[in-house]
Amino acid sequence: MKRAGTVKITVTAFCVAINIVGAYLALILRLPIYLDSVGTILNAAVLGPVYGMITACLSSVFSGITSDVYALYFMPDGMITGLIAGLLFRTKWFQKWRLPFGVLFLAVPGTIISSCIAAYLFGGVTSSGSSMLVQVLHHIGLNMVVSVFVVQMLTDYVDRLVSVVIARTVQSHLGSRFTTLLKGKKPNGAL
C-alpha cells in the first residue's frame, strides 16, 4: 500500500510538471490555447477526479508564483476540469464517436467559470494569446462577457480536445503492471 501512495505522488508531481511546461510554452509562444490542463486531465484519467483537482491546484500555485500570476485566479477552472475529466474517464464519453461530445461536456463548465473570471476581474485581458481575439470581438460591439465566452469556448474546446487525446493515448499505453501497482498490489516482474 505504501508503494501505491508513492507512485500516486510521483504521477501527480509528473502531471503538475506537464501542466507547468505546457502553460509556459503556450505563454511564451502566445498560443491561443493554454496547454495547462494536459497533466490535470492525464492524472484525472489515471488516478481519478480528486487527483485531477489536486494537480490543477498545485500547477496553478506553482505557475502563479513563477511565471504567470493569472494562473492563480484561474485555479477554479482547472479544478472543475480535473473533477469532470475524472468522472468522464470513468464513462465511455471519451471513446470513439462520443469523444467530441465528451470534450464539450468537459469544456463548458470550465469555460463558464474562466469567462467570468477573465471578464469581471481582468476586463478580458489576460496573459493568453486569445486575449487579442476577445478585444476584437468587444470592439465590434459584443458585450465583454459574451466576447470572452465565445473566445474561451473555442479555445477551451480545442485545448481540452488536445489534452484528452494525449491523456487517452498515454493511458492506453500504461501496462497492466503499472495499474496493478496503483491498486497497491505487487506486480509480477519488473515495473
Side-chain angles (χ1 to χ4, degrees), residues 1-181:
M1 193 65 167
K2 186 176 181 182
R3 180 180 278 179
T6 302
V7 172
K8 289 177 182 179
I9 291 170
T10 304
V11 169
T12 300
F14 179 70
C15 289
V16 168
I18 291 171
N19 279 353
I20 292 166
V21 169
Y24 185 72
L25 285 174
L27 182 66
I28 63 170
L29 297 174
R30 303 295 292 165
L31 298 176
I33 61 172
Y34 316 106
L35 302 177
D36 62 349
S37 60
V38 176
T40 297
I41 292 171
L42 176 60
N43 210 15
V46 174
L47 298 178
V50 172
Y51 286 93
M53 293 174 69
I54 291 169
T55 302
C57 285
L58 294 174
S59 302
S60 293
V61 169
F62 190 83
S63 290
I65 292 171
T66 61
S67 62
D68 183 16
V69 72
Y70 291 103
L72 291 168
Y73 295 97
F74 288 94
M75 187 186 302
D77 172 32
M79 291 177 65
I80 196 74
T81 298
L83 173 68
I84 293 172
L87 296 173
L88 288 174
F89 268 102
R90 293 178 176 177
T91 68
K92 295 183 182 203
W93 278 107
F94 291 142
Q95 295 176 5
K96 299 181 183 177
W97 63 269
R98 292 183 189 99
L99 177 66
F101 301 104
V103 172
L104 187 63
F105 295 150
L106 175 62
V108 169
T111 297
I112 293 169
I113 291 169
S114 62
S115 295
C116 292
I117 293 168
Y120 292 115
L121 290 181
F122 304 112
V125 179
T126 63
S127 59
S128 169
S130 64
S131 291
M132 291 180 281
L133 298 171
V134 169
Q135 295 308 314
V136 168
L137 290 177
H138 183 61
H139 286 300
I140 63 171
L142 287 178
N143 175 292
M144 180 56 74
V145 176
V146 174
S147 299
V148 173
F149 183 80
V150 168
V151 172
Q152 284 286 144
M153 192 62 234
L154 294 171
T155 56
D156 280 356
Y157 185 84
V158 173
D159 183 71
R160 300 311 186 263
L161 180 62
V162 168
S163 299
V164 167
V165 168
I166 291 170
R168 280 190 62 218
T169 303
V170 170
Q171 185 185 33
S172 71
H173 286 86
L174 293 177
S176 60
R177 290 182 188 155
F178 183 76
T179 53
T180 301
L181 186 62

